[in-house]
Amino acid sequence: MPATLTPLQKLPDSETSVNKAPTLENISNIIANENEPITLTADAFDPENNTLIYYINETRLVQDTTHANLFTWNTTYYDAGSYNILLKINDGSLEDQQEFTVTINNVNRVPTLEPISDILLNITQNTTQDTTLNAVEQIVVTISASD
């Protein structure tokens, strides 16, 4: 019995069968003031529409539970400074990454003075009154009285 030849099957196009790396869009440096929220949207594209995994090296930039590419930071009055951030995306085998800077400006806050109780003085009498001044920045306080 002679062998039967079958037509050659077309092999998959190597262009469509090879996983391509995801691409992270450019992220600009971020500047904010203390006590202002920061929102970062990391736009990315994967040619095969693979699910992307996001990684960021700053734990104060919290990833949204619904949108994996959304991060927020509720800054406080103690966050002033410059932070070098690394953001990576991964499709399960290949990745892209970007570095950017978050700068949080120091904000001058209004100092607070604890209440001072009333003082009744005779004209020839001297007194002192202790109180507490809460201020982060260095300030000078002068209290004077006159008749």
Side-chain angles (χ1 to χ4, degrees), residues 85-121:
I85 309 296
L86 175 65
L87 176 68
K88 294 182 183 182
I89 56 168
N90 185 302
D91 71 357
S93 61
L94 299 173
E95 71 178 29
D96 191 13
Q97 67 182 31
Q98 236 182 85
E99 291 184 35
F100 59 97
T101 303
V102 173
T103 302
I104 302 174
N105 297 320
N106 185 27
V107 175
N108 188 14
R109 291 175 267 167
V110 175
T112 59
L113 184 63
E114 297 294 321
I116 300 173
S117 58
D118 292 339
I119 304 170
L120 182 60
L121 295 174

Coordinates of all heavy atoms in Angstrom, one line a residue, residues 85-121:
I85 N 11.2 57.1 42.5 CA 10.2 56.1 42.4 C 10.6 55.2 41.2 O 10.9 55.7 40.1 CB 8.8 56.7 42.2 CG1 8.5 57.7 43.3 CG2 7.8 55.6 42.2 CD1 8.4 57.2 44.7
L86 N 10.4 53.9 41.4 CA 10.6 52.9 40.3 C 9.2 52.2 40.1 O 8.7 51.6 41.1 CB 11.7 51.9 40.6 CG 11.8 50.8 39.6 CD1 12.3 51.3 38.2 CD2 12.8 49.7 40.1
L87 N 8.7 52.3 38.9 CA 7.4 51.6 38.6 C 7.7 50.6 37.5 O 8.3 50.9 36.5 CB 6.4 52.6 38.1 CG 5.1 52.0 37.7 CD1 4.3 51.4 38.8 CD2 4.2 53.0 37.0
K88 N 7.3 49.3 37.8 CA 7.5 48.2 36.8 C 6.1 47.6 36.4 O 5.2 47.6 37.3 CB 8.3 47.1 37.4 CG 9.7 47.5 37.7 CD 10.5 46.2 38.2 CE 11.9 46.5 38.6 NZ 12.6 45.3 39.1
I89 N 6.0 47.2 35.2 CA 4.9 46.4 34.8 C 5.4 45.1 34.2 O 6.5 45.0 33.6 CB 4.0 47.1 33.7 CG1 4.8 47.5 32.5 CG2 3.3 48.3 34.3 CD1 4.0 48.0 31.3
N90 N 4.6 44.0 34.4 CA 5.1 42.7 34.0 C 3.8 42.0 33.4 O 2.8 42.0 34.0 CB 5.6 42.0 35.2 CG 6.2 40.6 34.9 OD1 5.5 39.8 34.3 ND2 7.4 40.4 35.2
D91 N 4.1 41.3 32.3 CA 3.0 40.5 31.7 C 3.0 39.0 32.0 O 2.4 38.2 31.4 CB 2.9 40.7 30.1 CG 4.1 40.1 29.4 OD1 5.0 39.5 30.0 OD2 4.1 40.2 28.2
G92 N 3.9 38.7 33.0 CA 4.0 37.3 33.3 C 5.4 36.7 32.9 O 5.9 35.8 33.5
S93 N 6.0 37.4 31.9 CA 7.3 36.9 31.5 C 8.2 38.1 31.1 O 9.4 38.1 31.3 CB 7.2 35.9 30.3 OG 6.6 36.5 29.2
L94 N 7.6 39.2 30.5 CA 8.4 40.3 30.1 C 8.0 41.6 30.9 O 6.8 41.6 31.4 CB 8.3 40.5 28.6 CG 8.8 39.4 27.7 CD1 8.4 39.7 26.3 CD2 10.3 39.2 27.9
E95 N 8.9 42.6 31.0 CA 8.5 43.7 31.8 C 9.0 45.0 31.1 O 9.9 45.0 30.3 CB 9.0 43.6 33.2 CG 10.5 43.7 33.4 CD 10.9 43.7 34.9 OE1 10.2 43.0 35.7 OE2 11.9 44.3 35.2
D96 N 8.5 46.1 31.6 CA 9.0 47.5 31.3 C 9.0 48.2 32.6 O 8.3 47.9 33.5 CB 8.0 48.2 30.3 CG 8.6 49.4 29.7 OD1 9.9 49.7 29.8 OD2 7.9 50.2 29.1
Q97 N 9.9 49.2 32.7 CA 9.9 50.0 33.9 C 10.3 51.4 33.6 O 10.8 51.7 32.6 CB 11.0 49.4 34.9 CG 12.4 49.4 34.4 CD 13.4 48.8 35.3 OE1 13.0 47.8 36.0 NE2 14.6 49.3 35.4
Q98 N 10.0 52.3 34.6 CA 10.3 53.7 34.5 C 10.6 54.2 35.9 O 10.1 53.8 36.9 CB 9.1 54.4 34.0 CG 9.5 55.2 32.7 CD 8.3 55.9 32.2 OE1 8.0 57.0 32.7 NE2 7.5 55.3 31.3
E99 N 11.6 55.2 35.9 CA 11.9 55.9 37.1 C 11.4 57.3 37.0 O 11.5 57.9 35.9 CB 13.4 55.9 37.4 CG 13.9 54.5 37.7 CD 15.4 54.5 38.1 OE1 15.9 55.5 38.7 OE2 16.1 53.6 37.8
F100 N 10.9 57.9 38.1 CA 10.5 59.3 38.1 C 10.7 59.8 39.5 O 10.9 59.0 40.5 CB 9.1 59.5 37.6 CG 8.0 58.7 38.3 CD1 7.3 59.3 39.3 CD2 7.8 57.3 38.1 CE1 6.3 58.6 40.0 CE2 6.8 56.6 38.8 CZ 6.1 57.3 39.8
T101 N 10.5 61.1 39.7 CA 10.7 61.7 41.1 C 9.4 62.3 41.6 O 8.7 62.9 40.8 CB 11.8 62.8 41.0 OG1 13.0 62.2 40.5 CG2 12.0 63.4 42.4
V102 N 9.1 62.1 42.8 CA 8.0 62.7 43.5 C 8.7 63.7 44.5 O 9.5 63.3 45.3 CB 7.1 61.8 44.3 CG1 6.1 62.5 45.1 CG2 6.4 60.8 43.3
T103 N 8.3 65.0 44.3 CA 8.8 66.0 45.2 C 7.7 66.6 46.0 O 6.7 67.0 45.4 CB 9.5 67.2 44.5 OG1 10.6 66.6 43.7 CG2 10.1 68.2 45.4
I104 N 7.8 66.6 47.3 CA 6.7 67.1 48.2 C 7.3 68.3 48.9 O 8.3 68.2 49.7 CB 6.2 66.0 49.2 CG1 5.7 64.8 48.4 CG2 5.2 66.6 50.1 CD1 5.3 63.7 49.3
N105 N 6.7 69.5 48.6 CA 7.2 70.7 49.2 C 6.7 70.9 50.6 O 5.6 70.6 51.0 CB 6.6 71.9 48.4 CG 7.1 71.9 47.0 OD1 8.3 71.6 46.7 ND2 6.3 72.2 46.0
N106 N 7.7 71.5 51.4 CA 7.3 71.8 52.8 C 6.3 73.0 52.8 O 6.5 73.9 52.1 CB 8.6 72.2 53.6 CG 8.4 72.4 55.0 OD1 7.5 71.9 55.6 ND2 9.2 73.2 55.6
V107 N 5.3 72.9 53.7 CA 4.3 73.9 53.8 C 4.4 74.5 55.2 O 4.5 73.8 56.2 CB 2.9 73.3 53.6 CG1 1.8 74.4 53.9 CG2 2.8 72.7 52.2
N108 N 4.5 75.9 55.2 CA 4.5 76.6 56.5 C 3.2 76.5 57.2 O 2.2 76.9 56.6 CB 4.9 78.0 56.3 CG 5.2 78.8 57.5 OD1 5.3 78.2 58.6 ND2 5.2 80.1 57.5
R109 N 3.2 75.9 58.4 CA 1.9 75.7 59.1 C 1.7 76.8 60.2 O 2.7 77.3 60.7 CB 1.9 74.4 59.8 CG 1.8 73.3 58.8 CD 1.9 71.9 59.4 NE 3.3 71.6 59.4 CZ 3.8 70.6 60.1 NH1 3.1 69.9 61.0 NH2 5.1 70.3 60.0
V110 N 0.5 77.1 60.5 CA 0.2 78.1 61.5 C 0.5 77.5 62.8 O 0.1 76.4 63.2 CB -1.3 78.5 61.4 CG1 -1.6 79.4 62.6 CG2 -1.6 79.1 60.1
P111 N 1.3 78.2 63.7 CA 1.6 77.6 65.0 C 0.4 77.7 65.9 O -0.5 78.6 65.6 CB 2.7 78.5 65.5 CG 2.6 79.8 64.8 CD 2.0 79.4 63.4
T112 N 0.3 76.9 66.9 CA -0.8 77.0 67.8 C -0.3 77.3 69.2 O 0.8 76.8 69.6 CB -1.6 75.6 67.9 OG1 -0.7 74.6 68.2 CG2 -2.2 75.4 66.5
L113 N -1.1 78.0 70.0 CA -0.7 78.4 71.3 C -1.7 77.8 72.3 O -2.9 78.0 72.1 CB -0.6 79.9 71.4 CG -0.2 80.5 72.8 CD1 1.3 80.1 73.0 CD2 -0.3 82.1 72.7
E114 N -1.3 77.1 73.3 CA -2.2 76.6 74.3 C -2.8 77.7 75.0 O -2.2 78.8 75.2 CB -1.4 75.7 75.3 CG -0.8 74.4 74.6 CD -1.8 73.5 74.1 OE1 -2.9 73.3 74.7 OE2 -1.6 72.9 73.0
P115 N -4.0 77.6 75.5 CA -4.7 78.7 76.2 C -3.9 79.2 77.4 O -3.3 78.4 78.1 CB -6.0 78.0 76.7 CG -6.2 76.9 75.8 CD -4.9 76.4 75.4
I116 N -3.9 80.5 77.6 CA -3.3 81.1 78.8 C -4.4 81.6 79.7 O -5.3 82.3 79.3 CB -2.4 82.3 78.3 CG1 -1.3 81.8 77.3 CG2 -1.8 83.0 79.5 CD1 -0.5 82.9 76.7
S117 N -4.2 81.2 81.0 CA -5.2 81.7 81.9 C -5.1 83.2 82.2 O -4.0 83.7 82.0 CB -5.1 80.9 83.2 OG -3.8 81.0 83.8
D118 N -6.1 83.8 82.6 CA -6.1 85.3 82.9 C -5.1 85.5 84.1 O -5.1 84.7 85.0 CB -7.5 85.8 83.3 CG -8.4 85.8 82.1 OD1 -7.9 85.8 80.9 OD2 -9.6 85.8 82.3
I119 N -4.4 86.6 84.0 CA -3.5 87.0 85.1 C -3.9 88.4 85.6 O -4.0 89.3 84.8 CB -2.1 87.0 84.6 CG1 -1.7 85.7 84.0 CG2 -1.1 87.5 85.7 CD1 -0.3 85.7 83.3
L120 N -4.1 88.6 86.9 CA -4.4 89.8 87.4 C -3.2 90.3 88.2 O -2.7 89.7 89.0 CB -5.6 89.7 88.4 CG -6.1 91.0 89.1 CD1 -6.6 92.0 88.0 CD2 -7.2 90.7 90.0
L121 N -2.7 91.5 87.8 CA -1.5 92.0 88.4 C -1.7 93.4 89.0 O -2.5 94.2 88.5 CB -0.4 92.2 87.3 CG 0.1 91.0 86.5 CD1 1.0 91.4 85.4 CD2 0.9 90.1 87.5

